[in-house]
């Protein structure tokens, strides 16, 4: 197999095909169902010299018995509290494991991991899809494709963040493939459609099981919380020797896109469009029953018959509605009642899942994390409408993120927040966005709660402005710095010359707390920075390789 690396300094030029050497790897070439396999090609060249690269050795497995820690939330990747160095991870493709349960395009993956290791990246993140692992029936788990990936990651001396992904893939921003919930779960949903979130029009969303039935044995005798717990327990049992070593972090999915939120802004079939306010997702029979019980408990029975009747539709702006306008229903006694219940149910869901995960992974040495969505549109309005429909009770008068941060801290879980790359000035004026203000609020909330904060970019970005914003956020004195950053996402474009250069610069800057010097395109010194992406254990380098 051939590999061509395009580094930050444009290292290694493809001039002489005779000098290229094939790198051996697995001959299996899996493609995702109905997906056209992408072709990856990244090239690295130098203005002064050409270098041949080969993978010098296969790394021996880490001594798991001596390196594993017995305290649950010790950082598995180096990040001393006393400095500002931040390890960078890279998300792997959504279809890293195929529907048949095998590692997708293993030769391409091997070459990509080699390049990422050389760039100084700490590790990679992968989704462990419920719809893939448990698709053959209740408690019939197939982890084989993930086992192959874990061993490959370990050979390259990288770390792995694994997401317990209990949601479907497809229908949201950046979803490039379709991975539904397990077939046996979909069968139960077809018999009982109230198992999934429902809006006021009766539209069902099969993205994630409604938290309204968390404690009801609706999945062939088990509750959803029990099903999620059994899934995580199976993962712990299968990979116990790797957790706390190569598996440095386990992120617990708690909603659509793996985020602790309601699916209030689904993109599928044009249901929602930015910067729409979204809709409340509280109309399945389990959520309605909970709302009624809550209303009766405070002596307001008539408030429990339904959700807000004046909250508009998915694509509306706040001022289009009675509920979200400047002095709307959101700020009334009823509005406060409803939002306390709606956001409280979401907090309870997260609390139960994280409590279960903590018990399962106790003593493993891996970090636990959970993700919160960066809903930045309409942040500059009084009602923060888009945040409210997603379940975050955050308004001009009410802090919605401090309770979440405190709940995460209760379980020693890292709060992973998105939209770290965005700037206010990049957003359309009519959307009243403030991603910078939102990030600052979350930084302050996590600092106040004593919760560790990690970050992601919300959209695929390759430009210096986006990377620079992440670095600036980490250096900010207004709140928590980051314990880690995960870049979205590894794909063909990432390995293109200028994009790759920006990533290498970014990784180095984050390691140096934002104080690293800019990587020059004309660096001909052969310095460590110049050849940064081929440092460490990847000693002999590559002239050419193709990712197919």
């Amino acid at each position: 197999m051939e590999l061509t690396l395009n580094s930050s300094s444009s290292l290694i030029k493809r001039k002489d095909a005779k000098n290229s050497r094939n790198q051996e790897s697995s001959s299996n070439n899996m493609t995702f169902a109905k997906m056209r396999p992408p072709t990856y090609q990244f090239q690295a060249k130098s203005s002064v010299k050409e270098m041949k690269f080969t993978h010098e050795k296969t790394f021996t497995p880490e001594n798991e018995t001596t390196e594993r820690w017995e305290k649950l939330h010790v950082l598995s990747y180096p990040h001393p509290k006393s400095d500002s160095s931040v390890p960078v991870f890279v998300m792997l493709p959504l279809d890293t494991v195929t529907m048949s349960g095998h590692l997708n395009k293993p030769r391409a993956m091997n070459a990509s991991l080699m390049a990422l290791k050389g760039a100084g990246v700490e590790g990679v993140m992968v989704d462990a899809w419920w719809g893939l692992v448990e698709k053959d029936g209740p408690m019939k788990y197939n982890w084989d494709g993930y086992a192959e990936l874990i061993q490959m990651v370990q050979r390259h001396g990288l770390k792995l963040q694994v997401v317990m992904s209990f949601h479907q893939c497809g229908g949201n921003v950046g979803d490039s493939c379709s991975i539904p919930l397990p077939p046996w779960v979909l069968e139960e949903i077809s018999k009982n459609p109230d198992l999934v979130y429902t809006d006021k029009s009766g539209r069902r969303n099969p993205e994630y099981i409604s938290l309204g039935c968390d404690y009801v044995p609706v999945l062939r005798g088990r509750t959803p919380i029990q099903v999620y717990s059994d899934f995580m327990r199976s993962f712990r049992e299968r990979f116990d020797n790797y957790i706390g070593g190569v598996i440095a972090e386990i992120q617990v999915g708690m909603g659509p896109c793996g985020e602790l939120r309601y699916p209030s802004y689904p993109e599928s079939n044009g249901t929602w469009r930015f910067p729409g306010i979204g809709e409340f997702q509280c109309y399945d029979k389990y959520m309605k029953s909970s709302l009624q019980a809550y209303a009766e408990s405070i002596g307001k029975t008539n408030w429990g018959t339904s959700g807000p009747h004046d909250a508009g539709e998915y694509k509306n702006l706040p001022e289009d509605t009675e509920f979200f306008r400047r002095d709307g229903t959101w700020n009334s006694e009823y509005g406060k009642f409803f939002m306390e219940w709606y956001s409280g149910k979401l907090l309870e869901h997260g609390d139960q899942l994280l409590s279960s995960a903590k018990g399962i992974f106790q003593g493993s040495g891996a970090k636990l994390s959970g993700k919160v969505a960066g809903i930045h549109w309409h942040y500059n309005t009084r009602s923060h409408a888009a945040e409210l429909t997603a379940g975050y009770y955050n308004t001009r008068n009410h802090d919605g993120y401090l309770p979440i941060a405190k709940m995460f801290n209760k379980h020693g879980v890292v709060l992973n927040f998105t939209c770290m790359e965005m700037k206010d000035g990049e957003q359309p004026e009519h959307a009243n966005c403030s991603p910078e203000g939102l990030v600052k609020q979350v930084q302050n909330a996590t600092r106040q709660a004593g919760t560790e904060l990690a970050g992601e970019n919300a959209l695929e970005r390759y430009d210096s402005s986006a990377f620079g914003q992440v670095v600036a956020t980490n250096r900010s004195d207004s709140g928590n710095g980051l314990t880690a950053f995960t870049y979205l996402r590894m794909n063909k474009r990432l390995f293109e010359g200028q994009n790759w250069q920006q990533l290498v610069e970014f990784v180095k800057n984050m390691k140096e707390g934002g104080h690293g010097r800019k990587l020059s395109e004309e660096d001909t010194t052969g310095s460590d920075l110049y050849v940064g992406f081929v440092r460490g254990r990847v000693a002999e380098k590559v002239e050419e390789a193709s990712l197919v």
Side-chain angles (χ1 to χ4, degrees):
M1 182 186 83
E2 295 184 337
L3 183 64
T4 308
L5 294 174
N6 244 351
S7 113
S8 55
S9 315
S10 305
L11 287 162
I12 317 175
K13 192 174 183 181
R14 292 175 56 194
K15 282 187 175 179
D16 187 357
K18 295 179 181 179
N19 290 333
S20 65
R21 290 191 284 180
N22 292 334
Q23 181 181 4
E24 294 183 1
S25 184
S26 170
S27 60
N28 294 333
N29 186 15
M30 299 295 179
T31 58
F32 195 84
K34 298 184 180 180
M35 293 297 296
R36 183 178 179 181
T39 300
Y40 293 82
Q41 191 171 40
F42 45 100
Q43 186 180 52
K45 59 185 179 181
S46 167
S47 58
V48 292
K49 56 186 174 182
E50 294 180 345
M51 296 177 285
K52 295 180 181 179
F53 293 91
T54 59
H55 197 210
E56 184 179 58
K57 59 182 179 181
T58 300
F59 306 116
T60 57
E62 299 173 2
N63 188 338
E64 302 290 340
T65 58
T66 59
E67 291 196 357
R68 296 205 19 225
W69 302 311
E70 290 306 314
K71 187 176 179 181
L72 176 60
H73 299 311
V74 176
L75 270 171
S76 298
Y77 34 82
H79 179 55
K81 290 273 187 182
S82 59
D83 70 26
S84 55
S85 176
V86 180
V88 175
F89 291 75
V90 175
M91 293 186 199
L92 295 180
L94 294 167
D95 61 348
T96 291
V97 173
T98 69
M99 290 298 288
S100 60
H102 300 285
L103 182 61
N104 200 6
K105 299 184 284 290
R107 293 194 302 167
M109 180 62 67
N110 187 68
S112 299
L113 294 178
M114 183 197 307
L116 292 173
K117 174 64 177 179
V121 165
E122 184 75 16
V124 291
M125 172 182 276
V126 68
D127 289 279
W129 296 106
W130 183 27
L132 292 183
V133 176
E134 200 177 354
K135 71 182 180 67
D136 293 333
M139 303 188 76
K140 296 180 179 179
Y141 306 106
N142 179 6
W143 295 104
D144 291 351
Y146 293 97
E148 189 176 351
L149 174 68
I150 289 167
Q151 292 164 5
M152 185 180 290
V153 169
Q154 185 180 54
R155 286 197 299 271
H156 286 285
L158 294 166
K159 298 294 185 183
L160 188 63
Q161 299 169 316
V162 183
V163 185
M164 303 286 103
S165 295
F166 301 117
H167 60 287
Q168 78 166 19
C169 177
N172 282 296
V173 177
D175 286 351
S176 57
C177 61
S178 177
I179 304 174
L181 301 185
W184 61 273
V185 174
L186 295 179
E187 184 179 331
E188 296 304 311
I189 293 171
S190 69
K191 293 186 289 187
N192 181 6
D194 282 293
L195 293 183
V196 296
Y197 288 115
T198 307
D199 63 22
K200 68 177 182 293
S201 301
R203 185 185 287 106
R204 310 286 189 178
N205 188 326
E207 219 175 321
Y208 188 79
I209 299 295
S210 169
L211 60 79
C213 56
D214 272 352
Y215 310 111
V216 186
V218 292
L219 297 178
R220 301 195 180 179
R222 292 184 294 164
T223 70
I225 294 294
Q226 288 174 330
V227 170
Y228 303 147
S229 299
D230 288 340
F231 184 93
M232 291 188 286
R233 193 172 294 109
S234 171
F235 178 81
R236 169 78 194 255
E237 292 171 355
R238 175 66 187 268
F239 299 113
D240 193 44
N241 290 333
Y242 298 93
I243 299 173
V246 60
I247 301 174
E249 180 178 322
I250 296 157
Q251 186 172 113
V252 183
M254 294 180 280
C257 296
E259 298 165 336
L260 180 63
R261 66 172 176 87
Y262 294 100
S264 56
Y265 50 99
E267 281 202 309
S268 59
N269 303 317
T271 302
W272 170 87
R273 183 176 65 245
F274 177 86
I277 57 177
E279 289 191 20
F280 291 116
Q281 306 292 309
C282 58
Y283 294 90
D284 64 77
K285 69 181 182 182
Y286 303 101
M287 290 293 283
K288 289 198 295 184
S289 176
S290 173
L291 176 60
Q292 186 67 60
Y294 184 69
E296 292 175 358
S297 72
I298 64 169
K300 299 286 187 180
T301 302
N302 59 319
W303 284 358
T305 57
S306 179
H309 67 278
D310 56 354
E313 299 179 348
Y314 287 103
K315 298 176 184 178
N316 285 155
L317 299 180
E319 293 302 315
D320 297 333
T321 75
E322 288 295 316
F323 192 90
F324 296 115
R325 63 181 174 80
R326 181 178 175 85
D327 295 310
T329 313
W330 65 272
N331 203 28
S332 68
E333 187 182 356
Y334 166 76
K336 294 173 183 176
F337 150 82
F338 177 78
M339 284 311 307
E340 285 172 358
W341 168 78
Y342 191 66
S343 64
K345 290 293 290 182
L346 189 67
L347 277 171
E348 182 183 350
H349 177 68
D351 184 57
Q352 286 298 310
L353 261 176
L354 294 181
S355 176
S356 176
K358 180 180 179 180
I360 291 167
F361 295 106
Q362 187 78 43
S364 69
K367 293 189 74 69
L368 283 182
S369 68
K371 188 156 72 167
V372 175
I375 301 175
H376 57 86
W377 53 105
H378 306 303
Y379 184 85
N380 280 334
T381 64
R382 291 172 61 86
S383 65
H384 293 233
E387 292 164 84
L388 297 189
T389 57
Y392 304 149
Y393 188 7
N394 193 54
T395 68
R396 188 70 57 87
N397 312 317
H398 191 277
D399 188 340
Y401 298 101
L402 183 57
I404 296 173
K406 287 181 176 179
M407 185 269 288
F408 274 56
N409 184 59
K410 170 185 172 182
H411 301 293
V413 174
V414 178
L415 193 157
N416 189 5
F417 197 69
T418 62
C419 80
M420 290 284 177
E421 84 284 10
M422 294 183 173
K423 294 182 179 180
D424 290 1
E426 299 170 341
Q427 312 306 320
E429 186 175 347
H430 73 284
N432 287 298
C433 300
S434 183
E436 293 179 62
L438 175 59
V439 168
K440 186 175 295 185
Q441 182 182 353
V442 171
Q443 284 183 292
N444 286 329
T446 53
R447 171 177 281 184
Q448 187 175 339
T451 306
E452 290 186 75
L453 177 67
E456 294 180 5
N457 50 310
L459 302 175
E460 289 183 10
R461 294 280 295 272
Y462 308 95
D463 56 290
S464 59
S465 176
F467 285 128
Q469 180 64 19
V470 176
V471 173
T473 297
N474 179 58
R475 293 177 60 188
S476 171
D477 294 328
S478 64
N480 263 4
L482 303 179
T483 61
F485 182 83
T486 304
Y487 174 77
L488 180 154
R489 168 182 317 273
M490 189 184 89
N491 56 24
K492 180 179 180 179
R493 290 190 63 193
L494 177 62
F495 296 108
E496 294 173 359
Q498 185 65 22
N499 296 343
W500 182 250
Q501 173 180 333
Q502 297 289 358
L503 177 70
V504 174
E505 292 174 8
F506 171 67
V507 170
K508 187 170 182 66
N509 271 326
M510 292 296 276
K511 281 190 172 183
E512 297 179 354
H515 300 290
R517 68 183 177 90
K518 181 173 176 60
L519 183 62
S520 168
E521 295 181 18
E522 300 301 325
D523 182 355
T524 59
T525 64
S527 66
D528 184 57
L529 179 59
Y530 173 66
V531 292
F533 80 104
V534 289
R535 295 194 307 261
R537 297 196 221 184
V538 186
E540 288 276 295
K541 302 125 203 163
V542 198
E543 182 184 81
E544 203 174 296
S546 297
L547 301 184
V548 293

